[in-house]
Amino acid sequence: MSVTSENSEFAQAVNGVVEAAVPVVHNMGVRATSARRGYASSMVPVEGNGNHFGVMYAGVLFTVAEMLGGAIAVASFDGTRYYPLVKDLRITFKRPATSDVCAEATLDEDTIIRVTREADEAGKSDFTLESTVTDADGVVVAVTTGLYQLRAHGR
């Protein structure tokens, strides 16, 4: 996947924040590849992220999916007013990953509106994000369900 001109600003912003604030994720090679309102994708190379039996380490698969909550929040909510955090993330491993992987997630417009309204009124709002992690052949290697929270700054 590559960053397109349509969404490169958000993807670059996510990658800059990850590099500065969560260097271990950056060092894995996890990168946001797309981020726009209601959509985010990321990727991570298999090289350097293997385990003891030659497939991608489970923690790397977890990480490439988990970071989508922050990426989608950057692109869908006003970062000067809100910040995201992860409250829970469940992963189901489907197949071993032996190649680079990509993760994708979407957030519908009604949820974006609800979460914004609730964060304005109560200072925070929860949302669920489901992601799919696929290998270079498009085979699903993992799926996640994450519970994220959007919080208003200063509350």
Side-chain angles (χ1 to χ4, degrees), residues 3 19 21 24 27 39 42-43 57 60 68 71 77 81 84 86 107 109 111 115 117-118 120 123 151:
V3 176
E19 182 176 6
V24 66
N27 292 340
Y39 176 82
S42 57
M43 66 79 56
Y57 175 61
V60 175
L68 293 174
F77 304 105
R81 297 173 56 202
V86 62
L107 195 60
E109 188 64 23
T111 300
V115 169
R117 183 186 69 249
E118 290 175 1
D120 284 340
R151 290 197 176 180

Side-chain angles (χ1 to χ4, degrees), residues 89-108:
L89 190 102
R90 310 288 172 146
I91 188 165
T92 302
F93 300 102
K94 300 288 191 178
R95 301 185 71 104
T98 58
S99 67
D100 297 357
V101 299
C102 297
E104 291 183 295
T106 60
L107 195 60
D108 66 81

